[in-house]
Amino acid sequence: DVPQPGEDRTSERSRKRLKARTIVMSLLVTAMGWTQSRAAMAMGCDRGAGYAAVRRAADLRDQDAGLDALMDRIERCLSEARP
């Protein structure tokens, strides 16, 4: 997960926010065709954090079949909506 500067990683709210940010960066890369650097910059992170987030999202998908199916559906919808 990719914390923002000064963000507390221990609270439930922070963990959910970090997970969401990780998933969004992954979707920007996989479904929208953005580079990992561009996705990271859009989310206020550096390039290294972007790479880490995409790898972490892949791990999350491997661990959670429901999340994997959801992300597959979102990726299809976003890919179909791209011009």
Side-chain angles (χ1 to χ4, degrees):
D1 295 327
V2 185
Q4 292 296 306
E7 188 170 31
D8 175 20
R9 299 183 75 165
T10 60
S11 75
E12 179 67 20
R13 183 176 175 192
S14 291
R15 283 193 301 274
K16 287 180 180 180
R17 199 171 24 225
L18 293 172
K19 185 176 181 180
R21 188 179 303 125
T22 296
I23 291 169
V24 168
M25 276 195 267
S26 178
L27 289 170
L28 287 171
V29 171
T30 59
M32 302 303 291
W34 287 22
T35 65
Q36 291 175 343
S37 296
R38 182 178 177 197
M41 187 174 14
M43 299 300 292
C45 302
D46 64 27
R47 181 171 53 183
Y51 289 119
V54 172
R55 283 191 309 270
R56 177 69 179 134
D59 291 343
L60 290 170
R61 291 178 83 159
D62 289 343
Q63 298 166 9
D64 185 339
L67 175 63
D68 186 43
L70 174 63
M71 288 182 70
D72 279 343
R73 288 192 308 271
I74 294 169
E75 286 170 350
R76 276 194 306 278
C77 290
L78 290 173
S79 295
E80 291 170 5
R82 284 179 64 192

